[in-house]
Amino acid sequence: MTPFDTYPAGLLPAGSQDRTPMPSPLEIIDARKSFRTPEGGTMTALDGISLKLASAEFVTLLGPSGCGKTTLLRTISGFETLDAGEVLIDGSAVTQMPAHRRPVNTVFQRYALFGHMSVARNVGYALEIAGRDKREIRTRVGEMLELVGLAGMEKRSIQQLSGGQQQRVALARALAAKPKLLLLDEPLSALDKNLRQKMQQELKALQRELGIGFIFVTHDQEEALTMSDRIAVLAHGQIQQIGAPTELYQTPANLFTADFLGESNLLPVTVTSGRGCLPDGQSFATPHAPGEATLLLRPEALSVTPPDGHALSFTGTIRETYYTGTDHQIALETPAHGTMHALLRSGGALPCLGSEITLYAPAQGLHLIDEAAP
Amino acid sequence: MSLARRKLLQLVGLLGVPTVFLLIFFFGPLLIMLVYSFLTPGLYGGVDWIFSHLNYGRILGWADTRYEKFDPVYIAIFLRSLKLAALTVLASLAVCYPAAFWISRMRPGMRDFAIFLVTLPFFVSLIVRLFAWVLILRPTGFLNQGLMGLGLTGGPIEFLYTDFAVILGMTYVFIPFMFLPLYGSIEKLDMAQIEASSDLGATRFQTFRKVILPATLPGIVGGSIITFIPALGNFIVPSVLGGAKVLMIGNLIEQQFLSARNWPFGSALAMLVMSAVLVLLIAQFRLAKKEAQS
């Protein structure tokens, strides 16, 4: 079963179910790639990765550095060749096709704009290479610059632009030749926080407007959650889990995903005949199969007021508090579970450092991860 | 003492001596040459302090019709020197561009070693190195022996004392001059830009023409100029490898000063070379300024 088969129908873009089946914008089948390290060993960058875009989706490849996400992107753009496996773009195999003939374009991490050319020539480069008519190029460049909010900037030189503007030029340049798929290699990492958030929203809106697939590489989980239709979490050259942001956040399939996406409290659980048992003796009903498992409690699931019905409670001493404006982040030292993290809405009584406090979590709908806790 | 005054004194203290030194020992000789080029040659060498424009006339087209007619041979030698210098620049470029590209992509340790190798010839006397080329190129030299041994030619080929030998020798001598500025601009080349170009549909050749070449143009121009200038005035390489057959303007000037003892005419020839170089530098400066504006 490929990840695509489990794709929740409700998340497909409107109207896409009743259309006749179109070729997938991108399909990767069992991609494998290893590199020789300078020390003489081998490093497996891609260890059997399969991925299929259902439609013009915004898919994020998320993972720590060295997880293979950039390598995967480069095999799509054609800068790396696979040791084994296939890459299909729009239904046709491009595995052996050199980069310059592939119908995809890339927004590079540090933009890689041509410093000796004007903004207009940068944006029109792909069309110039394709030998298009000068008037057509000028029109298209104008459209593209308008699309990214840089109308009238044609004559500027790259050095005259701010980082955010360069980012937009890189985007316009990659989109000018109407690629079937846009690849983005951590394009926002060089921008400051406010600008980054603005660009995240614009990129998402742009993807909807253009109706083409975006493959976005990042190590920033917040960025991934904000923008993506689906996120593929990568580690050690494998896809750990792929799914909608809410799915990944609320019901991670393994410890790596749970830990990498957001803050989490991971508690060891022993399940016997429909009941999960915590080390301190508290128990709760669960449909999970018997055996060792891990309970995922997100910091925001904990609260100072007990919820209605059965609840889990955790008593401990407050070791650290951070005030973020909307919330208090708390590190709670508990005798049974070690340090736990909680996120409390501000406005209530301010928990003070060193005081003892009891936090509650509803005992229903808890998510258990199959692996035993670390 | 006010701060501004102190700064001024510091400036004078720091720059005064070098400035005076340069004015006397750099511009001084040039000025002497310029003045001499408008004087009359003395009977036994040296100069007579009588104004004369005939030194330039002899080169450019008006002659002292009493003793000699105008002979375009000097212009011909000058033009030949321009041609040989230009070919030397092209040959050095052809060697250094790929080499600089290759070396810039090596790992750091190897890279430093390769750059050291490029500058290695500087450690041996130029004359010795040129005579080594004589041993290679002469009719019984290594090159001819090798070619004949392989059966590629029946008899020895005349390599020595040809334009070819002079260009080869000057290319050999000036390769480090071309290499270093080229390497400087090629090393700074952003590999991501090359990938971006390829990503946007350009073939390797298109990428080279539209991205790599324009981005490394400053290095090409810089290397070409500092190769062309000494190549144009060179007299050691043509005198060792060109013999009496390939005379360059540098040899002519040397002869006027040392053999013919016609200092004013030698000075006029030197001024001609210098003005050619100046014209070239001004043209390059204008071009760079235009480039910076657009």
Side-chain angles (χ1 to χ4, degrees), chain A residues 74 77 79 99-102 104-106 108 111-117 121-122 125-126 128-129 173-174 183, chain B residues 190-204 206-215 291 294:
Chain A
R74 289 171 64 83
S77 57
F79 295 126
H100 71 269
R101 289 179 48 213
R102 297 195 183 191
V104 298
N105 287 132
T106 309
F108 290 85
Y111 321 140
L113 295 173
F114 306 127
H116 59 281
M117 296 182 193
R121 271 199 73 202
N122 265 281
Y125 188 78
E128 185 187 323
I129 289 293
R173 183 179 71 173
L183 309 176
Chain B
D190 182 6
M191 286 307 284
Q193 281 187 25
I194 298 174
E195 283 197 348
S197 169
S198 168
D199 184 71
L200 293 163
T203 60
R204 277 157 187 258
Q206 284 171 319
T207 299
F208 179 75
R209 200 164 54 88
K210 288 181 180 281
V211 176
I212 300 175
L213 205 57
E291 194 100 312
S294 68

Side-chain angles (χ1 to χ4, degrees), chain B residues 1 67 75 124 149 151 155 173 204 207 212 224 247 259 272 274:
Chain B
M1 202 191 296
Y67 296 110
I75 284 284
V124 180
V173 171
R204 277 157 187 258
T207 299
I212 300 175
S224 298
L247 196 69
S259 316
L272 180 73
M274 209 177 78

Side-chain angles (χ1 to χ4, degrees), chain B residues 53 58 64 74-75 84 102 203 214 217 244 266-267:
Chain B
H53 53 78
R58 234 175 124 186
D64 162 20
Y74 305 114
I75 284 284
L84 291 182
W102 181 46
T203 60
L217 200 62
S267 303

Side-chain angles (χ1 to χ4, degrees), chain A residues 17-327:
Chain A
Q17 283 112 317
D18 45 47
R19 231 184 284 154
T20 45
M22 294 232 304
S24 164
L26 172 71
E27 188 173 0
I28 296 167
I29 305 164
D30 198 27
R32 287 173 193 280
K33 171 86 184 170
S34 50
F35 292 104
R36 204 163 287 156
T37 59
E39 292 81 38
T42 53
M43 204 264 300
T44 307
L46 304 177
D47 189 9
I49 285 187
S50 294
L51 175 74
K52 187 173 180 180
L53 259 61
S55 59
E57 291 180 273
F58 195 123
V59 172
T60 298
L61 307 177
L62 176 69
S65 53
C67 72
K69 56 188 193 297
T70 298
T71 307
L72 185 59
L73 196 78
R74 289 171 64 83
T75 62
I76 302 170
S77 57
F79 295 126
E80 302 283 356
T81 50
L82 288 175
D83 297 338
E86 290 282 337
V87 178
L88 288 88
I89 294 170
D90 235 20
S92 48
V94 297
T95 319
Q96 303 300 328
M97 194 184 273
H100 71 269
R101 289 179 48 213
R102 297 195 183 191
V104 298
N105 287 132
T106 309
V107 177
F108 290 85
Q109 188 165 13
R110 268 178 263 281
Y111 321 140
L113 295 173
F114 306 127
H116 59 281
M117 296 182 193
S118 64
V119 166
R121 271 199 73 202
N122 265 281
V123 175
Y125 188 78
L127 304 173
E128 185 187 323
I129 289 293
R132 300 289 182 77
D133 174 58
K134 278 216 172 91
R135 285 232 318 272
E136 186 195 334
I137 295 177
R138 206 177 308 134
T139 315
R140 181 79 181 146
V141 166
E143 285 170 15
M144 282 295 108
L145 287 178
E146 193 151 344
L147 186 71
V148 297
L150 292 178
M153 298 266 218
E154 279 93 340
K155 293 220 163 58
R156 295 280 184 94
S157 82
I158 298 301
Q159 287 79 15
Q160 285 176 297
L161 302 181
S162 68
Q165 288 172 326
Q166 291 189 9
Q167 167 70 69
R168 288 157 192 270
V169 173
L171 194 61
R173 183 179 71 173
L175 289 169
K178 300 185 182 170
K180 299 257 165 69
L181 196 64
L182 186 71
L183 309 176
L184 303 105
D185 185 8
E186 306 209 26
L188 307 181
S189 57
L191 303 180
D192 66 64
K193 198 179 173 213
N194 285 336
L195 197 54
R196 195 158 70 218
Q197 282 173 345
K198 189 159 176 274
M199 283 303 291
Q200 286 172 8
Q201 292 160 7
E202 285 187 29
L203 273 178
K204 184 73 194 107
L206 196 63
Q207 188 265 333
R208 273 200 215 101
E209 189 182 330
L210 295 171
I212 61 170
F214 276 33
I215 307 289
F216 189 95
V217 160
T218 185
H219 61 265
D220 183 336
Q221 39 123 342
E222 208 175 305
E223 205 165 271
L225 290 170
T226 312
M227 293 195 289
S228 319
D229 292 322
R230 281 197 294 163
I231 300 172
V233 178
L234 269 76
H236 317 300
Q238 291 174 328
I239 292 184
Q240 300 293 321
Q241 190 175 2
I242 182 163
T246 48
E247 183 191 339
L248 259 66
Y249 188 75
Q250 287 163 5
T251 58
N254 55 29
L255 289 173
F256 181 85
T257 309
D259 208 35
F260 196 75
L261 270 184
E263 288 272 331
S264 54
N265 297 300
L266 299 167
L267 309 177
V269 176
T270 311
V271 183
T272 40
S273 56
R275 284 202 80 75
C277 198
L278 289 171
D280 63 354
Q282 297 191 74
S283 69
F284 52 91
T286 175
H288 198 272
E292 296 295 318
T294 303
L295 171 64
L296 170 75
L297 277 178
R298 292 292 183 190
E300 63 274 15
L302 295 165
S303 62
V304 279
T305 48
D308 298 334
H310 183 50
L312 300 174
S313 65
F314 306 95
T315 305
T317 317
I318 296 174
R319 285 292 173 220
E320 285 166 44
T321 67
Y322 302 102
Y323 179 58
T324 64
T326 50
D327 309 285

